């Protein structure tokens, strides 16, 4: 009786080729999705619920809201030795209700123009993961910082998508309900070491700069006044947030010299 040919397993080289072809096909689908449905892909890139997060906060007795491009990776490493990820205040509240109700909350805030340039350079350099690279290819690479700023200011569709992504998302989204700061202490990045010593008990030399933007850095001085004005307009809520935090810090912690009385020696 005639018997069918026995099926044989693919050779090692053939198996590797099949796996490689599968990976390339998946990457092609991923790139297509970033072109046609970037908003959906941004939602897929959001951090997943972390069942360990509340215990991390409770153990350290402090909540850090990690705002992207505000030295947050270095700070979370120093405070927790754990990545709490980029989550808004509302996400942390919902994930960690006991910690939110009982612990002090801090965040680092940054000048919005400086933060925009840091985010731009970071993404242009490829970021740190596949989502960063895919977003950068779709929205950043091939455009100067001034061109990206102009698109944010002048193209509502581009702005709507870009400002959903971690690094271009307004700082105010992370720490404010739109009217009120929802964390206890906003630390200006210019006073970060002092603030973390005060609120987290960290020595001033505790931070190492993880996740540093490498490669070319865009100098703020290279931007013309119109570009700076566009960035300021797009991030107007962040300007108010940062200036308010800086003024509050100065009023609370920076000692002003006493006025010299008439007749006293210099």
């Amino acid at each position: 009786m005639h018997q069918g040919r026995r099926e044989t397993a693919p050779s090692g080289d053939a198996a590797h080729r099949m796996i490689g072809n599968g990976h390339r096909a998946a990457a092609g689908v991923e790139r297509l999705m970033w072109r046609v449905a970037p908003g959906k892909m941004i939602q897929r890139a959001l951090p997943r619920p972390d069942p360990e997060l509340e215990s991390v906060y409770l153990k350290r007795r402090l909540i850090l809201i990690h705002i992207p491009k505000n030295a947050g990776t270095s700070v979370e490493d120093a405070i927790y030795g754990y990545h709490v990820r980029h989550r808004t205040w509302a996400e942390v509240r919902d994930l960690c209700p006991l910690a939110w109700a009982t612990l002090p909350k801090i965040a680092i805030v940054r000048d919005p123009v400086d933060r925009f340039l840091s985010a731009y350079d970071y993404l242009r350099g490829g970021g740190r993961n596949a989502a960063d690279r895919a977003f950068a290819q779709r929205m950043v690479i091939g455009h100067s910082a001034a061109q990206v700023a102009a698109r944010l200011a002048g193209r509502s569709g581009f702005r709507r998508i870009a400002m959903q992504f971690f690094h271009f998302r307004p700082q105010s989204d992370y720490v404010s309900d739109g009217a009120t700061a929802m964390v206890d202490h906003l630390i200006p990045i210019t006073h970060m070491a002092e603030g973390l010593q005060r609120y987290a008990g960290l020595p001033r030399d505790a931070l190492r700069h993880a996740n540093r933007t490498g490669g070319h850095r865009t100098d703020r001085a290279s931007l013309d006044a119109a570009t700076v004005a566009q960035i300021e307009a797009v991030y107007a809520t962040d300007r108010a947030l940062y200036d308010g935090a800086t003024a509050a810090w100065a009023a609370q912690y920076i000692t002003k010299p006493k006025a010299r009385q008439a007749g006293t020696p210099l």
Side-chain angles (χ1 to χ4, degrees), residues 244-259:
T246 300
W249 186 273
Q252 189 167 3
Y253 298 121
I254 298 178
T255 303
K256 297 179 181 179
K258 295 181 179 179

Side-chain angles (χ1 to χ4, degrees), residues 23-98:
H23 288 167
R24 284 189 289 274
V29 171
E30 190 93 352
R31 287 193 296 271
L32 176 62
M33 288 297 294
W34 274 101
R35 285 199 297 270
V36 302
K40 181 177 291 187
M41 298 303 288
I42 289 171
Q43 291 300 309
R44 281 179 53 181
L46 293 174
R48 296 176 181 176
D50 180 354
E52 302 298 323
L53 187 61
E54 185 156 53
S55 64
V56 170
Y57 289 142
L58 290 169
K59 181 178 179 180
R60 191 57 177 80
R61 307 300 301 167
L62 181 70
I63 291 174
L64 167 74
I65 301 298
H66 178 175
I67 302 175
K69 303 318 299 171
N70 288 9
T73 301
S74 301
V75 174
E76 68 181 8
D77 283 346
I79 294 176
Y80 306 112
Y82 187 90
H83 288 175
V84 299
R85 309 287 302 276
H86 307 310
R87 303 178 196 272
T88 68
W89 70 270
E91 290 166 343
V92 174
R93 177 200 61 191
D94 294 345
L95 282 170
C96 308
L98 177 60

Side-chain angles (χ1 to χ4, degrees), residues 33-244:
M33 288 297 294
W34 274 101
R35 285 199 297 270
V36 302
K40 181 177 291 187
M41 298 303 288
I42 289 171
Q43 291 300 309
R44 281 179 53 181
L46 293 174
R48 296 176 181 176
D50 180 354
E52 302 298 323
L53 187 61
E54 185 156 53
S55 64
V56 170
Y57 289 142
L58 290 169
K59 181 178 179 180
R60 191 57 177 80
R61 307 300 301 167
L62 181 70
I63 291 174
L64 167 74
I65 301 298
H66 178 175
I67 302 175
K69 303 318 299 171
N70 288 9
T73 301
S74 301
V75 174
E76 68 181 8
D77 283 346
I79 294 176
Y80 306 112
Y82 187 90
H83 288 175
V84 299
R85 309 287 302 276
H86 307 310
R87 303 178 196 272
T88 68
W89 70 270
E91 290 166 343
V92 174
R93 177 200 61 191
D94 294 345
L95 282 170
C96 308
L98 177 60
W100 187 265
T102 58
L103 300 182
K105 308 155 193 71
I106 65 171
I108 311 296
V109 291
R110 187 175 188 179
D111 180 280
V113 178
D114 292 341
R115 179 174 179 261
F116 167 80
L117 291 177
S118 178
Y120 167 80
D121 288 335
Y122 177 75
L123 291 167
R124 188 178 63 169
R128 71 180 302 179
N129 56 44
D132 288 345
R133 290 188 291 274
F135 175 85
Q137 285 287 347
R138 174 72 167 75
M139 311 293 277
V140 173
I141 292 174
H143 303 284
S144 68
Q147 289 170 330
V148 174
R151 295 173 83 188
L152 281 172
R155 294 173 54 179
S156 61
F158 180 89
R159 181 170 61 251
R160 178 178 54 81
I161 296 298
M163 293 178 72
Q164 292 179 46
F165 197 68
F166 308 103
H167 307 297
F168 285 151
R169 190 170 182 177
Q171 299 172 80
S172 56
D173 283 4
Y174 287 92
V175 297
S176 169
D177 67 355
T180 305
M182 303 303 290
V183 301
D184 300 301
H185 306 291
L186 294 174
I187 304 171
I189 200 168
T190 50
H191 297 285
M192 181 170 64
E194 182 183 353
L196 293 174
Q197 182 181 50
R198 185 179 298 276
Y199 298 124
L202 295 180
R204 293 197 179 205
D205 61 353
L207 296 185
R208 62 177 184 83
H209 199 135
N211 211 27
R212 181 188 294 272
T213 299
H216 174 76
R217 302 295 294 274
T218 303
D219 186 354
R220 179 171 177 156
S222 69
L223 302 181
D224 60 26
T227 297
V228 172
Q230 288 172 329
I231 298 169
E232 293 280 8
V234 168
Y235 291 104
T237 57
D238 284 359
R239 169 55 65 196
L241 184 79
Y242 179 74
D243 287 352

